[in-house]
Amino acid sequence: MSTVLISGASIAGPALAYWLGRYGFDVTVVEKADALRGGGYPIDIRGTALDVVERMGLLPDLLAAHVNTRQITFLHPDGSPITLIRPDALTGGVEGRDLEVRRGDLAQALYATVRDDVEFLFNDTITTLDDHADGVDVTFRSGTHRTFDLVIGADGLHSGVRALVFGREEQFHHYLGYCFAGFTMRNDFGLSHEGVIWNTPGRGAALYAVGENDNLHGFLNFARPEPPFDAFRDPAAQRDLVASVFADDGWEVPRMVAAMRTADDLFFDVVSQIHLPRWSAGRVALVGDAAHAPSFLTGQGSSLALVGACMLAGELAISPDHTSAFTAYEQATRPFVELNQALVTEGDATLFPNTAEALAQRNGALRDLTTLPADTGRPAHTARHLPTFTTP
Ligand SMILES: Cc1cc2nc3c(=O)[nH]c(=O)nc-3n(C[C@H](O)[C@H](O)[C@H](O)COP(=O)(O)OP(=O)(O)OC[C@H]3O[C@@H](n4cnc5c(N)ncnc54)[C@H](O)[C@@H]3O)c2cc1C
């Protein structure tokens, strides 16, 4: 039985572990956090990814966790309403079919499918990889040494496996010109199953109440010409940066900044994509954001991760060796990924226009969106048909 080490236990990692387990691989997952990480903004599962979760038997659980956002209200800088729309009209999704679940709920559902069959090493990371003819020798931060047949990086936008095998992230990092901070805060606004988005040129703030409970998701997004790489290693610097950018803004922004300051689940990142010339080298391959992060602006990060995990495992199951499997996985998945990455380009976020003119244009377009039917999704979402992998 082939042994596979997967780095990262969020969306791509556990999904890949599930499929590899089904095909008879012996799987270990290493995750740098102490435990499965909850939190994060609600994410969408749509198009081909719905077929993946259906085949995994997860649809009933995910339907139960479906957030069912009723409306999104857009606001002018002074807080007055512009328009109110259905979320699917904005995302190009299909009403009644696409799923929107809290990221943590999806991660938990995926983890539940594998936690009893797969070895999880929490609070650890890979520090060295030595790829040779018979396997990959791995050293962990904990000091352990082990050898696996294959190693897969499912460790996100800032993947450690990618850095070890392909080199510095900056080479593949395609910055889209924004940074964001997401965090949980008290729902003192009377919001329920709805989102409110406030914009001023170059800055946006959103309150997102996914349920009826006392908390909601706060989200602050801002344009910045260069990515603040220095702030990544320093949570205090992240909070200072966000607070200084929004210091003079009105509406509920001051309350949000105060909540961001003390939030214990702050998630700060750049809005970026990963464009890699190859997703594998030797016995190591990448999946999900590590291989091809599309950015949250596409709304497709988790869906691409789910489809990629299913494709990679399927090709490993049916191919004669890992080299042909990695090639087949990439050939079959890359066009789908690139179509979805192309849904946004630099500085072109519909949700966060950078100039007063672009904001006015966006607001006009939003008013028209309210009348659009949402019975078909964007072609990119279903551009990959999910094959059936029949093992020899
Ligand atoms: C806690 C959390 C909150 C998030 N919130 C948002 C959000 O609000 N908006 C948004 O657009 N996207 C968010 N994301 C990213 C989103 O989940 C991904 O874009 C998408 O789902 C693709 O998933 P992925 O599994 O490929 O990567 P990710 O979801 O990024 O998962 C990568 C996993 O690898 C782990 N990891 C990272 N480096 C290492 C390492 N060196 N060794 C071992 N493990 C490592 C991470 O802890 C994480 O569990 C969040 C991710 C996490 C982990």
Side-chain angles (χ1 to χ4, degrees):
M1 186 192 292
S2 296
T3 55
V4 183
L5 173 65
I6 299 172
S7 175
S10 175
I11 308 302
L16 179 66
Y18 169 86
W19 287 107
L20 287 176
R22 278 269 300 262
Y23 297 129
F25 291 81
D26 181 4
V27 181
T28 300
V29 179
V30 59
E31 161 61 49
K32 74 172 176 187
D34 294 349
L36 194 76
R37 296 175 67 183
Y41 226 56
I43 50 89
D44 301 295
I45 307 169
R46 55 165 92 91
T48 313
L50 284 167
D51 298 335
V52 177
V53 293
E54 188 168 16
R55 287 193 197 174
M56 295 176 79
L58 286 178
L59 261 190
D61 284 358
L62 295 178
L63 275 169
H66 179 51
V67 166
N68 203 9
T69 302
R70 286 191 289 250
Q71 63 184 42
I72 298 182
T73 307
F74 284 84
L75 304 178
H76 287 294
D78 66 0
S80 60
I82 301 166
T83 187
L84 178 157
I85 63 171
R86 293 185 324 270
D88 290 317
L90 187 68
T91 59
V94 186
E95 204 164 320
R97 174 152 162 81
D98 291 1
L99 292 172
E100 186 190 19
V101 295
R102 294 175 179 89
R103 196 207 65 88
D105 287 350
L106 176 60
Q108 190 61 51
L110 294 166
Y111 177 59
T113 64
V114 287
R115 83 179 143 215
D116 297 334
D117 309 314
V118 165
E119 179 188 26
F120 277 84
L121 310 172
F122 285 105
N123 193 21
D124 211 348
T125 58
I126 299 170
T127 50
T128 66
L129 290 171
D130 180 13
D131 187 341
H132 52 82
D134 304 322
V136 191
D137 295 337
V138 179
T139 312
F140 294 91
R141 192 186 55 202
S142 56
T144 322
H145 303 275
R146 285 170 66 175
T147 301
F148 297 86
D149 294 315
L150 303 173
V151 174
I152 312 292
D155 44 2
L157 179 65
H158 309 294
S159 167
V161 170
R162 190 183 59 229
L164 286 172
V165 176
F166 294 95
R168 288 171 46 249
E169 177 175 321
E170 281 85 336
Q171 303 169 74
F172 318 113
H173 189 116
H174 186 75
Y175 180 56
L176 294 176
Y178 302 91
C179 300
F180 73 97
F183 48 93
T184 304
M185 63 184 285
R186 275 180 57 84
N187 184 357
D188 292 330
F189 308 88
L191 298 171
S192 160
H193 294 282
E194 64 186 302
V196 180
I197 300 181
W198 167 97
N199 288 99
T200 198
R203 296 188 296 290
L207 296 170
Y208 203 175
V210 299
E212 327 244 324
N213 65 24
D214 294 341
N215 288 327
L216 50 67
H217 295 281
F219 187 80
L220 295 164
N221 187 85
F222 56 98
R224 191 177 170 87
E226 295 297 324
F229 282 117
D230 291 347
F232 284 124
R233 283 166 281 280
D234 182 357
Q238 296 169 3
R239 290 179 208 265
D240 288 347
L241 174 63
V242 178
S244 68
V245 168
F246 287 89
D248 299 326
D249 289 321
W251 183 59
E252 299 289 357
V253 172
R255 233 185 330 164
M256 294 180 71
V257 169
M260 180 275 303
R261 280 262 183 219
T262 54
D264 58 13
D265 63 349
L266 176 66
F267 186 83
F268 175 87
D269 214 335
V270 280
V271 181
S272 296
Q273 297 187 335
I274 292 295
H275 294 217
L276 261 177
R278 290 184 58 210
W279 297 346
S280 65
R283 292 175 173 272
V284 181
L286 303 171
V287 67
D289 275 9
H292 49 63
S295 89
F296 80 83
L297 295 176
T298 66
Q300 283 290 87
S302 298
S303 290
L304 295 186
L306 288 165
V307 174
C310 185
M311 296 296 293
L312 173 55
E315 295 295 351
L316 282 167
I318 62 169
S319 301
D321 55 61
H322 67 270
T323 308
S324 42
F326 288 165
T327 304
Y329 149 66
E330 183 166 338
Q331 274 174 357
T333 317
R334 187 182 271 279
F336 170 61
V337 161
E338 289 181 350
L339 267 179
N340 282 281
Q341 286 185 318
L343 292 172
V344 290
T345 51
E346 192 170 337
D348 138 59
T350 316
L351 284 178
F352 307 108
N354 281 346
T355 63
E357 193 190 3
L359 185 54
Q361 263 175 16
R362 192 282 311 260
N363 292 345
L366 284 176
R367 289 190 196 96
D368 295 344
L369 268 182
T370 53
T371 57
L372 282 179
D375 52 355
T376 57
R378 293 211 170 108
H381 299 164
T382 46
R384 173 70 248 175
H385 162 74
L386 200 64
T388 305
F389 296 99
T390 310
T391 47

